[in-house]
Amino acid sequence: LPFIWKRLQKKGIIFLDELFSAKYSLRICSPWISKNYLEKLISLSNNSVQIFLITSKDQYGYNIIELLDKEQTKHKINHKFTPSREVHSKIYVIDDGFSIIGSANLTESGLDREQDNHVAYTKDGNDVKKCSIIFDDLFKKL
């Protein structure tokens, strides 16, 4: 894919602005997700953003299963769990119009460390569609 390479600004500001401005849909594959970012995703799903999530059950400091189950009465995040060692991919597709592939997990530490701030991103429709297909194939396999 002919992505544009760009280092995220400090703490992934560009990335987070795009992610949490989603209006319709999100596809997220991130083995690690901070609790506060998961809570923001839950809020987005409460506002009718359709979310598909691939992550690990092994989160630091909170029980992701309990949090998702507790919130599922209000809205639904379609999620699949996989051991963090089995899926290392970080894929983010926002409103089928913007995609990001990189090394940063959806955590404060992942977005703050410079070595995890290198990502490939694109708004090219064909490339975004390819990223969506990669994500969807992975989601179906789990």
Side-chain angles (χ1 to χ4, degrees):
L1 300 176
F3 283 97
I4 299 167
W5 290 93
K6 182 169 184 165
R7 190 172 88 69
L8 292 175
Q9 292 177 351
K10 186 169 174 66
K11 297 188 187 257
I13 293 168
I14 294 171
F15 168 73
L16 293 174
D17 285 349
E18 291 282 345
L19 187 73
F20 294 119
S21 295
K23 304 228 181 305
Y24 312 106
S25 66
L26 286 171
R27 290 176 177 87
I28 298 172
C29 178
S30 177
W32 304 99
I33 299 176
S34 293
K35 183 179 180 183
N36 67 320
Y37 290 147
L38 181 63
E39 288 170 341
K40 287 182 180 185
L41 293 176
I42 290 168
S43 283
L44 282 175
S45 72
N46 226 5
N47 292 325
S48 301
V49 175
Q50 185 177 26
I51 299 175
F52 293 88
L53 174 65
I54 299 170
T55 192
S56 127
K57 294 178 186 177
D58 313 316
Q59 302 297 325
Y60 291 113
Y62 75 100
N63 183 329
I64 190 169
I65 299 167
E66 183 179 291
L67 187 57
L68 284 171
D69 285 348
K70 174 182 159 190
E71 297 297 334
Q72 290 304 319
T73 56
K74 300 176 194 169
H75 42 75
K76 179 150 178 66
I77 293 179
N78 299 298
H79 61 280
K80 302 256 179 123
F81 292 118
T82 184
S84 58
R85 69 185 179 283
E86 290 184 17
V87 174
H88 187 68
S89 304
K90 282 69 168 198
I91 303 168
Y92 305 90
V93 181
I94 303 161
D95 289 334
D96 291 323
F98 185 75
S99 60
I100 302 165
I101 296 177
S103 61
N105 281 298
L106 190 53
T107 63
E108 290 85 359
S109 62
L111 294 172
D112 197 29
R113 288 180 288 162
E114 191 166 317
Q115 70 267 21
D116 279 344
N117 284 341
H118 296 279
V119 299
Y121 74 92
T122 185
K123 290 187 177 187
D124 177 271
N126 290 327
D127 291 338
V128 172
K129 185 173 183 172
K130 289 175 189 175
C131 288
S132 294
I133 290 169
I134 291 167
F135 178 93
D136 292 345
D137 287 347
L138 181 58
F139 196 86
K140 286 175 193 172
K141 287 179 188 175
L142 296 175

